[in-house]
Amino acid sequence: MCGINGIYGLEQVNQPREMVEAMNKALAHRGPDDENVWMGENVVLGHKRLSIIDLSAAGQQPITSADGRYTLTYNGELYNYQSIKARLTDYHFTTNTDTEVVLAAYQQWGRACLQEFNGMFAFALWDAQERQLLIARDRVGIKPLYYYHNNDSVVFSSELRALLSSGMVPRKLNHEGLVDYLRYQTVHAPKTLVEDVLMLMPGHYVLVSDNEFLVEKYWDITHSVQKGLDHVPPQDIKSNIHRLLMESVERRLVADVPFGAFLSGGIDSSVIVGLMSEVASKKVNTFSVTFDEEAFSEARYANIIAQKFNTDHHEIRLTPNDFLELVPDALAAMDHPSGDGPNTYVVSKVTKAAGITMALSGLGGDELFAGYDIFKRSVKLEEKRWLTSFPVQVRKMGGGLLKTFKPSVASDKIAALLRLDYMYIDYTYPLSRQVLMDHEILKVLKRKTLPENKVFQIAHEAMDVGGRGYGLPLLSKVSFLEINTYLQNVLLRDTDQMSMAHALEVRVPFLDHELMEYVFGVSDQLKYPHIPKQLLLESTGDLIPREVYDRPKMGFTFPWSNWLKQELRDFAEAHLQALSQRSAFNAAEVMRLWERFLKDDPRVTWSRIWYLIVLENWLKQQQIED
């Protein structure tokens, strides 16, 4: 795993090599093992290396083909590189890296090579003969890639702050992105919080030359879903899921460095650890971060799994104050602001400190196997479409009464649901993860109108009649929306930036595209979660002990509310004051939100304050102008 940078179009660029060197420096945490800059005609490519496969100097990047035509800078892991390599019999390999396999595959198949790859990656490949640059990103968006394009040049990087460090990108706030952030604690790709800086969408590539800037999609799960599973016996479906999961885990164990797994004690990480133990050639290292609050701790369940699979288990016990001390470091590690992330920062830090360079995670299990409440809630809302037969004024009145007599964030969202014209998923889903509601945002910002809701755009385009996801089972529609909004734009982005802050590579077996394409085709009848992630558990047989999954729902929440009112109060208030003075914000309303939080208004939870603090901290760090 690494960091990549580059500039195409050097005619109007002064000292392009020095610019890419500055970008490399900004990515030092991503690749402590090696760095290099390669300069060709009208292009400069940079690379910071974290060695995972073939640790020798032969793995240095950027790498150039023997004939000198192609040069590649690559960040990622190609899990099926060995099988692809076996097919490329006409190519003379000089390394054992997956990087060279990417280079050889492109030389053999051109852009069609992307259809052959199973992995997580972002790369840029220069074709000196065609004077053309290809920039590509993996199907699900596990590895990030940002770019800025003006009339003369394209500059790209694994991280937004490295892009800014080039000096080519204006540090201007994207005001539409700001609204998206206030709605969803993130900015949905391709937009970012910086004006004119874009994130390459998952499953897309960019082709750049002197007379072309072409963005193309090469994969969309809605076009690749396994068809005809309604006619397959349920036991065969579960057997196939088990096989696909096993193959996914086995592929992700290829590494030349010490590896392990995050083990929380929940279903997803337990399944991954169980499968790892079945296919790994040596004892699996597992890591749990636990806390003193026994009533909320899942340490007992993590230990059950560790003992069953005889892992080398590392339990890192922290107090809330230990965690609190790491908050400033976690904030400093944020490449793009998010309301989430510190948890991943902490577990990545302690895992890396234990000598582990690569770890598997259960991320994606909830999204794929209907693990969140939103899945059941979406089914119930579809069944309540008859509510829209009542006059809208009656529904508004009911919502208003609920907000008055039972004020809470949930009541606000129910009231918003009752005002909808339709109860279809593309209308109901966007409310599920919204942080500040639109009427609150209009108060906080100096705006009279708001741009269209980005999550609604994503949902409506895919799920409306004729949309590419229209024919999916309902629960697969929810999976699609979870993956294409919250997972890609919060969880995966946070996992990458917080793990790579410690030069730790995280692999996610549940997001194997072959597994996803199969599970998306499974009917709601088989997938509906009568117990948590029922299909996953039934597909893996007795892998997970019953006491691990058949238990009351647990979850430890850090005392953020108390911290913001006590230990972090001065820090919080200073940041909110600074945010309120920015030209886009209504100062009185920002501070009123803070006062409501301090007075325990149930409609202003700590998360609705924290992500504003994170925002100001990031804007200040990156010197973003209003």
Side-chain angles (χ1 to χ4, degrees), residues 560-598:
W560 282 103
S561 187
N562 289 338
W563 285 345
L564 290 173
K565 292 173 183 176
Q566 297 173 25
E567 291 93 338
L568 290 175
R569 179 163 179 163
D570 290 345
F571 176 83
E573 197 157 295
H575 279 70
L576 291 171
Q577 286 279 8
L579 185 70
S580 73
Q581 297 306 307
R582 292 184 178 271
S583 61
F585 287 86
N586 184 330
E589 289 297 332
V590 172
M591 299 316 296
R592 188 172 292 120
L593 208 60
W594 174 238
E595 290 299 324
R596 288 171 61 196
F597 168 73
L598 293 176

Side-chain angles (χ1 to χ4, degrees), residues 245 267-269 271-272 361-372 375 479 483 487 491 508-511 515 519 527 532-534 536:
L245 257 174
I267 293 171
D268 299 330
S269 63
V271 166
I272 297 302
S361 165
L363 189 64
D366 283 310
E367 290 79 5
L368 197 56
F369 289 98
Y372 293 132
F375 286 89
S479 288
I483 288 167
L487 178 75
L491 297 181
V508 281
F510 282 116
L511 298 183
L515 173 65
V519 176
K527 200 184 293 179
K533 282 167 276 203
Q534 183 170 336
L536 175 60

Side-chain angles (χ1 to χ4, degrees), residues 443-456:
K443 290 179 181 178
V444 167
L445 295 180
K446 294 177 182 175
R447 299 182 64 122
K448 293 185 178 179
T449 61
L450 299 179
E452 188 173 29
N453 186 299
K454 180 62 177 177
V455 174
F456 175 76

Side-chain angles (χ1 to χ4, degrees), residues 265-267 301 531-532 537 541-542 544-552:
I267 293 171
Y301 303 102
I531 61 173
L537 290 168
D542 60 356
I544 305 304
R546 187 178 186 88
E547 59 188 311
V548 169
Y549 64 83
D550 189 12
R551 56 184 167 101

Side-chain angles (χ1 to χ4, degrees), residues 251-266:
R251 278 193 287 262
R252 283 158 179 80
L253 293 183
V254 177
D256 295 328
V257 294
F259 62 83
F262 298 147
L263 178 59
S264 68

Side-chain angles (χ1 to χ4, degrees), residues 209-228:
S209 65
D210 285 344
N211 53 17
E212 184 176 42
F213 186 89
L214 177 68
V215 180
E216 289 281 354
K217 180 188 293 184
Y218 69 87
W219 183 82
D220 186 324
I221 192 167
T222 59
H223 298 155
S224 308
V225 174
Q226 183 79 42
K227 305 293 185 182

Side-chain angles (χ1 to χ4, degrees), residues 342-367:
N343 289 20
T344 307
Y345 180 89
V346 172
V347 71
S348 297
K349 179 181 175 68
V350 296
T351 301
K352 183 68 176 185
I356 300 299
T357 303
M358 183 273 283
L360 270 62
S361 165
L363 189 64
D366 283 310
E367 290 79 5

